Amino acid sequence: MVQIFHGYQGSTSLDCLILFRQLMVDVVSVSSFGHQHGALSRWTPTAQDPLCVAIGDFPKRGILVCL
């Protein structure tokens, strides 16, 4: 993640919430399953890993189910 930050170095704004979500998927997959999902390495400012999108949408989907 530090390399990603250094790559942008103030040239543009970054959505850190999305970036940290990508990191979280990689950390959980390594600690739980013993292999890296690679979500952080596939991150770009315009595209996200589908698993990370699903995790980000989970609270919204939970609210819709409760209604």
Side-chain angles (χ1 to χ4, degrees):
M1 181 165 3
V2 172
Q3 291 173 344
I4 291 172
F5 286 141
H6 283 301
Y8 285 92
Q9 290 189 9
S11 62
T12 186
S13 63
L14 296 175
D15 188 344
C16 289
L17 177 62
I18 293 172
L19 192 59
F20 282 112
R21 188 176 296 135
Q22 302 283 106
L23 176 64
M24 184 236 7
V25 167
D26 282 345
V27 168
V28 168
S29 65
V30 167
S31 61
S32 297
F33 306 111
H35 70 280
Q36 186 173 1
H37 181 70
L40 190 60
S41 63
R42 288 192 297 270
W43 175 87
T44 65
T46 57
Q48 297 181 54
D49 182 79
L51 177 59
C52 297
V53 172
I55 290 170
D57 288 345
F58 183 77
K60 295 177 226 170
R61 293 173 192 218
I63 290 171
L64 291 175
V65 170
C66 291
L67 296 175

XYZ file of all heavy atoms in Angstrom:
515
model
N 0.828 -1.174 0.000
C 0.000 0.000 0.000
C 0.873 1.238 0.000
O 0.516 2.226 -0.622
C -0.944 0.003 1.191
C -1.783 1.227 1.131
S -3.253 1.423 2.110
C -3.452 0.093 3.122
N 1.996 1.173 0.688
C 2.914 2.315 0.721
C 3.394 2.643 -0.693
O 3.502 3.814 -1.064
C 4.100 2.034 1.666
C 5.152 3.104 1.571
C 3.602 1.891 3.103
N 3.637 1.612 -1.498
C 4.055 1.846 -2.883
C 2.969 2.565 -3.672
O 3.266 3.412 -4.510
C 4.412 0.530 -3.559
C 5.664 -0.097 -3.022
C 5.898 -1.486 -3.596
O 4.996 -2.091 -4.159
N 7.116 -1.974 -3.430
N 1.725 2.232 -3.419
C 0.616 2.918 -4.092
C 0.598 4.379 -3.692
O 0.471 5.268 -4.538
C -0.726 2.235 -3.760
C -0.776 0.851 -4.414
C -1.899 3.096 -4.228
C -1.959 0.008 -4.003
N 0.745 4.665 -2.392
C 0.774 6.052 -1.939
C 1.930 6.817 -2.564
O 1.768 7.949 -3.012
C 0.877 6.135 -0.413
C -0.398 5.777 0.302
C -0.350 5.048 1.475
C -1.630 6.171 -0.167
C -1.511 4.727 2.165
C -2.794 5.841 0.495
C -2.738 5.118 1.665
N 3.108 6.193 -2.615
C 4.265 6.862 -3.207
C 4.064 7.089 -4.700
O 4.551 8.078 -5.246
C 5.544 6.059 -2.970
C 6.091 6.191 -1.598
N 6.462 7.398 -1.049
C 6.321 5.255 -0.634
C 6.892 7.207 0.185
N 6.811 5.910 0.465
N 3.353 6.207 -5.358
C 3.104 6.355 -6.786
C 2.255 7.562 -7.126
O 2.389 8.137 -8.205
N 1.398 7.956 -6.217
C 0.509 9.095 -6.475
C 1.038 10.396 -5.885
O 0.780 11.453 -6.426
C -0.900 8.798 -5.970
C -1.608 7.838 -6.874
C -1.565 6.477 -6.646
C -2.273 8.287 -8.000
C -2.180 5.588 -7.486
C -2.894 7.411 -8.857
C -2.849 6.058 -8.593
O -3.453 5.173 -9.444
N 1.715 10.358 -4.779
C 2.375 11.489 -4.119
C 1.722 12.844 -4.373
O 2.341 13.779 -4.845
C 3.838 11.551 -4.531
C 4.638 10.428 -3.948
C 6.127 10.604 -4.162
O 6.591 11.641 -4.594
N 6.872 9.588 -3.837
N 0.454 12.936 -4.096
C -0.236 14.219 -4.185
C -0.652 14.628 -5.582
O -1.163 15.725 -5.776
N -0.440 13.761 -6.572
C -0.810 14.129 -7.940
C -2.322 14.070 -8.145
O -2.848 14.726 -9.033
C -0.113 13.219 -8.949
O -0.507 11.869 -8.765
N -3.002 13.295 -7.320
C -4.458 13.191 -7.405
C -4.987 12.744 -6.043
O -4.236 12.249 -5.208
C -4.878 12.193 -8.509
O -6.287 12.216 -8.647
C -4.426 10.783 -8.183
N -6.270 12.895 -5.834
C -6.847 12.428 -4.574
C -7.157 10.937 -4.686
O -7.434 10.426 -5.766
C -8.116 13.216 -4.242
O -9.095 13.000 -5.241
N -7.093 10.250 -3.561
C -7.375 8.824 -3.516
C -8.496 8.560 -2.528
O -8.568 9.191 -1.481
C -6.137 8.042 -3.060
C -4.911 8.083 -3.954
C -3.755 7.357 -3.284
C -5.218 7.456 -5.289
N -9.359 7.623 -2.867
C -10.399 7.198 -1.946
C -9.791 6.128 -1.043
O -9.714 4.950 -1.408
C -11.593 6.652 -2.705
C -12.778 6.379 -1.800
O -12.586 6.312 -0.563
O -13.894 6.233 -2.316
N -9.318 6.547 0.104
C -8.605 5.636 1.008
C -9.510 4.562 1.588
O -9.039 3.476 1.911
C -7.925 6.418 2.126
S -6.522 7.368 1.522
N -10.805 4.817 1.705
C -11.715 3.795 2.217
C -11.693 2.578 1.300
O -11.585 1.444 1.760
C -13.140 4.346 2.337
C -14.203 3.350 2.799
C -13.893 2.849 4.197
C -15.572 3.972 2.742
N -11.761 2.804 0.002
C -11.724 1.711 -0.961
C -10.366 1.020 -0.921
O -10.275 -0.210 -0.938
C -12.051 2.221 -2.375
C -13.504 2.678 -2.430
C -11.786 1.144 -3.422
C -13.885 3.380 -3.713
N -9.311 1.794 -0.844
C -7.963 1.240 -0.806
C -7.756 0.372 0.433
O -7.231 -0.745 0.346
C -6.935 2.369 -0.847
C -5.494 1.991 -1.087
C -5.320 1.261 -2.398
C -4.623 3.245 -1.068
N -8.211 0.837 1.590
C -8.081 0.049 2.815
C -8.977 -1.198 2.784
O -8.650 -2.214 3.368
C -8.375 0.892 4.053
C -7.225 1.770 4.442
C -7.315 3.144 4.335
C -6.037 1.222 4.912
C -6.252 3.956 4.689
C -4.970 2.019 5.268
C -5.075 3.394 5.158
N -10.105 -1.122 2.103
C -10.960 -2.307 1.954
C -10.229 -3.372 1.135
O -10.292 -4.555 1.442
C -12.276 -1.927 1.285
C -13.282 -3.059 1.282
C -14.612 -2.636 0.698
N -15.228 -1.615 1.526
C -15.795 -0.502 1.056
N -15.832 -0.267 -0.228
N -16.332 0.367 1.874
N -9.542 -2.965 0.089
C -8.754 -3.901 -0.713
C -7.682 -4.564 0.160
O -7.467 -5.766 0.085
C -8.079 -3.175 -1.875
C -9.004 -2.446 -2.829
C -9.714 -3.349 -3.785
O -10.899 -3.580 -3.627
N -9.041 -3.840 -4.779
N -7.012 -3.749 0.986
C -5.989 -4.273 1.890
C -6.600 -5.265 2.877
O -6.039 -6.324 3.145
C -5.299 -3.133 2.640
C -4.271 -3.538 3.695
C -3.089 -4.260 3.053
C -3.795 -2.317 4.466
N -7.777 -4.937 3.412
C -8.439 -5.809 4.375
C -8.751 -7.166 3.760
O -8.542 -8.203 4.400
C -9.733 -5.165 4.878
C -10.414 -5.971 5.939
S -12.143 -6.500 5.722
C -12.673 -6.105 4.142
N -9.212 -7.211 2.525
C -9.502 -8.479 1.863
C -8.237 -9.313 1.753
O -8.253 -10.517 2.013
C -10.140 -8.232 0.477
C -10.147 -9.505 -0.363
C -11.556 -7.702 0.650
N -7.117 -8.683 1.409
C -5.858 -9.423 1.320
C -5.395 -9.940 2.676
O -4.965 -11.089 2.796
C -4.764 -8.555 0.692
C -4.883 -8.464 -0.817
O -5.615 -9.291 -1.412
O -4.249 -7.575 -1.409
N -5.500 -9.125 3.711
C -5.068 -9.547 5.051
C -5.934 -10.696 5.556
O -5.421 -11.693 6.079
C -5.096 -8.354 6.039
C -4.927 -8.824 7.470
C -4.023 -7.342 5.677
N -7.235 -10.603 5.395
C -8.135 -11.661 5.863
C -7.917 -12.944 5.070
O -7.903 -14.037 5.644
C -9.608 -11.198 5.786
C -10.569 -12.354 5.985
C -9.869 -10.113 6.806
N -7.715 -12.833 3.760
C -7.520 -14.054 2.971
C -6.202 -14.741 3.314
O -6.134 -15.971 3.346
C -7.612 -13.762 1.469
O -6.572 -12.924 1.038
N -5.157 -13.975 3.614
C -3.880 -14.584 4.018
C -3.999 -15.218 5.387
O -3.571 -16.354 5.600
C -2.736 -13.537 4.002
C -1.504 -14.069 4.708
C -2.386 -13.151 2.583
N -4.604 -14.512 6.337
C -4.675 -15.043 7.698
C -5.679 -16.193 7.823
O -5.483 -17.094 8.625
C -5.001 -13.936 8.696
O -6.255 -13.352 8.408
N -6.729 -16.197 7.028
C -7.745 -17.246 7.130
C -7.471 -18.448 6.232
O -7.718 -19.582 6.618
C -9.123 -16.685 6.777
O -9.486 -15.686 7.689
N -6.991 -18.171 5.012
C -6.878 -19.234 4.020
C -5.444 -19.526 3.585
O -5.206 -20.450 2.822
C -7.730 -18.904 2.799
C -9.159 -18.610 3.151
C -9.666 -17.326 3.021
C -9.991 -19.609 3.635
C -10.982 -17.049 3.351
C -11.311 -19.342 3.962
C -11.801 -18.059 3.830
N -4.495 -18.719 4.013
C -3.103 -18.971 3.697
C -2.657 -18.553 2.316
O -1.574 -18.911 1.879
N -3.485 -17.830 1.605
C -3.063 -17.308 0.305
C -3.613 -15.896 0.103
O -4.651 -15.549 0.643
C -3.510 -18.210 -0.843
C -4.989 -18.198 -1.098
N -5.863 -18.924 -0.329
C -5.729 -17.540 -2.025
C -7.097 -18.715 -0.777
N -7.045 -17.884 -1.798
N -2.889 -15.105 -0.677
C -3.284 -13.714 -0.895
C -4.271 -13.635 -2.043
O -4.046 -14.199 -3.113
C -2.058 -12.855 -1.198
C -2.385 -11.386 -1.292
C -1.145 -10.524 -1.413
O -0.043 -11.020 -1.454
N -1.345 -9.235 -1.474
N -5.359 -12.941 -1.813
C -6.381 -12.753 -2.823
C -5.867 -11.852 -3.952
O -6.280 -11.989 -5.091
C -7.639 -12.172 -2.173
C -8.765 -11.959 -3.116
N -9.463 -13.009 -3.672
C -9.302 -10.834 -3.643
C -10.393 -12.528 -4.471
N -10.318 -11.220 -4.478
N -4.981 -10.917 -3.636
C -4.421 -10.024 -4.647
C -5.280 -8.804 -4.931
O -5.100 -8.139 -5.939
N -6.214 -8.503 -4.048
C -7.113 -7.371 -4.268
C -6.349 -6.055 -4.312
O -6.645 -5.191 -5.138
C -8.189 -7.326 -3.182
N -5.376 -5.902 -3.438
C -4.630 -4.644 -3.396
C -3.803 -4.462 -4.660
O -3.729 -3.360 -5.197
C -3.735 -4.603 -2.158
C -3.083 -3.266 -1.842
C -4.133 -2.190 -1.598
C -2.182 -3.391 -0.636
N -3.229 -5.526 -5.166
C -2.406 -5.405 -6.373
C -3.245 -5.137 -7.617
O -2.747 -4.597 -8.595
C -1.561 -6.661 -6.578
O -2.380 -7.786 -6.785
N -4.541 -5.469 -7.581
C -5.431 -5.215 -8.723
C -6.159 -3.881 -8.616
O -6.930 -3.524 -9.504
C -6.451 -6.343 -8.850
C -5.845 -7.637 -9.343
C -6.912 -8.637 -9.739
N -7.747 -9.051 -8.630
C -7.493 -10.081 -7.844
N -6.421 -10.796 -8.035
N -8.311 -10.403 -6.877
N -5.936 -3.163 -7.527
C -6.638 -1.898 -7.323
C -6.163 -0.835 -8.306
O -4.981 -0.712 -8.591
C -6.400 -1.392 -5.904
C -6.988 -0.037 -5.661
C -8.253 0.235 -5.260
C -6.336 1.224 -5.798
N -8.439 1.575 -5.149
C -7.279 2.215 -5.480
C -5.057 1.602 -6.183
C -6.975 3.559 -5.516
C -4.756 2.951 -6.228
C -5.703 3.912 -5.889
N -7.098 -0.089 -8.844
C -6.818 1.132 -9.602
C -7.835 2.162 -9.144
O -8.877 1.806 -8.592
C -6.936 0.933 -11.128
O -8.294 0.634 -11.449
C -6.028 -0.181 -11.627
N -7.590 3.446 -9.386
C -8.562 4.454 -8.940
C -9.945 4.287 -9.568
O -10.934 4.739 -9.021
C -7.936 5.775 -9.372
C -6.483 5.487 -9.501
C -6.385 4.055 -9.931
N -10.023 3.632 -10.717
C -11.319 3.499 -11.400
C -11.923 2.109 -11.304
O -13.073 1.926 -11.662
C -11.165 3.865 -12.886
O -10.164 3.021 -13.467
C -10.763 5.319 -13.048
N -11.162 1.112 -10.844
C -11.685 -0.258 -10.790
C -11.364 -0.892 -9.444
O -10.331 -0.616 -8.855
C -11.073 -1.089 -11.907
N -12.291 -1.720 -8.988
C -12.101 -2.434 -7.734
C -12.271 -3.923 -7.962
O -12.895 -4.355 -8.918
C -13.153 -2.011 -6.716
C -13.113 -0.574 -6.309
C -14.195 -0.325 -5.294
O -14.285 -0.997 -4.282
N -15.035 0.632 -5.562
N -11.770 -4.695 -7.048
C -11.956 -6.134 -7.048
C -13.426 -6.439 -6.737
O -14.006 -5.820 -5.839
C -11.038 -6.732 -5.977
C -11.112 -8.230 -5.937
O -10.489 -8.854 -6.795
O -11.807 -8.757 -5.050
N -14.068 -7.364 -7.459
C -15.492 -7.660 -7.213
C -15.805 -8.094 -5.775
O -16.862 -7.752 -5.244
C -15.802 -8.794 -8.200
C -14.755 -8.687 -9.246
C -13.540 -8.119 -8.582
N -14.903 -8.842 -5.150
C -15.125 -9.249 -3.760
C -15.173 -8.028 -2.851
O -16.014 -7.938 -1.946
C -14.034 -10.218 -3.307
C -14.099 -10.684 -1.855
C -15.423 -11.388 -1.563
C -12.926 -11.593 -1.542
N -14.303 -7.050 -3.083
C -14.283 -5.839 -2.266
C -15.552 -5.005 -2.478
O -16.062 -4.404 -1.541
C -13.050 -5.007 -2.591
S -11.528 -5.868 -2.194
N -16.056 -4.992 -3.699
C -17.314 -4.284 -3.967
C -18.452 -4.939 -3.195
O -19.274 -4.262 -2.581
C -17.612 -4.271 -5.486
C -18.999 -3.712 -5.756
C -16.561 -3.452 -6.225
N -18.496 -6.271 -3.201
C -19.542 -6.991 -2.472
C -19.455 -6.726 -0.975
O -20.472 -6.536 -0.311
C -19.435 -8.486 -2.755
N -18.246 -6.695 -0.433
C -18.064 -6.407 0.992
C -18.512 -4.984 1.305
O -19.172 -4.730 2.311
C -16.603 -6.638 1.415
C -16.291 -8.132 1.388
C -16.321 -6.050 2.794
C -14.836 -8.472 1.548
N -18.185 -4.043 0.438
C -18.602 -2.658 0.640
C -20.101 -2.477 0.556
O -20.683 -1.636 1.238
N -20.773 -3.288 -0.279
C -22.227 -3.184 -0.442
C -23.003 -3.976 0.604
O -24.216 -3.838 0.708
C -22.636 -3.691 -1.831
C -22.223 -2.739 -2.930
O -21.882 -1.582 -2.623
O -22.241 -3.158 -4.099
N -22.318 -4.803 1.379
C -22.992 -5.683 2.330
C -23.926 -4.953 3.296
O -25.072 -5.372 3.472
C -21.972 -6.526 3.098
C -22.593 -7.505 4.033
C -23.154 -8.673 3.553
C -22.637 -7.255 5.399
C -23.736 -9.586 4.410
C -23.215 -8.161 6.261
C -23.769 -9.325 5.764
N -23.485 -3.843 3.944
C -24.416 -3.165 4.869
C -25.663 -2.660 4.163
O -26.768 -2.753 4.715
C -23.586 -1.997 5.424
C -22.166 -2.394 5.223
C -22.162 -3.240 3.981
N -25.527 -2.143 2.951
C -26.692 -1.649 2.206
C -27.652 -2.790 1.890
O -28.872 -2.647 2.007
C -26.249 -0.984 0.901
C -25.429 0.258 1.097
C -24.988 0.780 -0.243
C -23.523 1.110 -0.158
N -22.907 1.406 -1.416
N -27.106 -3.925 1.497
C -27.959 -5.074 1.169
C -28.646 -5.616 2.418
O -29.780 -6.058 2.355
C -27.121 -6.157 0.507
C -26.619 -5.733 -0.846
C -25.666 -6.733 -1.413
N -25.005 -6.165 -2.565
C -24.708 -6.826 -3.645
N -25.009 -8.101 -3.722
N -24.116 -6.230 -4.650
N -27.968 -5.573 3.562
C -28.556 -6.028 4.809
C -29.748 -5.167 5.214
O -30.744 -5.670 5.709
N -29.635 -3.877 5.000
C -30.741 -2.954 5.325
C -31.934 -3.256 4.431
O -33.078 -3.287 4.888
C -30.292 -1.498 5.180
C -29.291 -1.159 6.294
C -31.472 -0.544 5.213
C -28.614 0.182 6.136
N -31.684 -3.508 3.144
C -32.776 -3.801 2.220
C -33.492 -5.098 2.592
O -34.705 -5.195 2.480
C -32.259 -3.890 0.785
C -31.781 -2.580 0.180
C -31.181 -2.822 -1.205
C -32.909 -1.582 0.080
N -32.766 -6.080 3.064
C -33.369 -7.344 3.468
C -34.251 -7.134 4.685
O -35.329 -7.731 4.806
C -32.281 -8.406 3.737
C -32.858 -9.635 4.386
C -31.575 -8.766 2.439
N -33.835 -6.282 5.604
C -34.603 -6.036 6.823
C -35.889 -5.269 6.562
O -36.829 -5.363 7.326
C -33.744 -5.270 7.832
S -32.401 -6.238 8.490
N -35.913 -4.490 5.501
C -37.119 -3.729 5.180
C -38.148 -4.659 4.631
O -39.201 -4.810 4.705
C -36.815 -2.616 4.179
C -35.864 -1.547 4.679
C -35.552 -0.583 3.547
C -36.462 -0.794 5.841
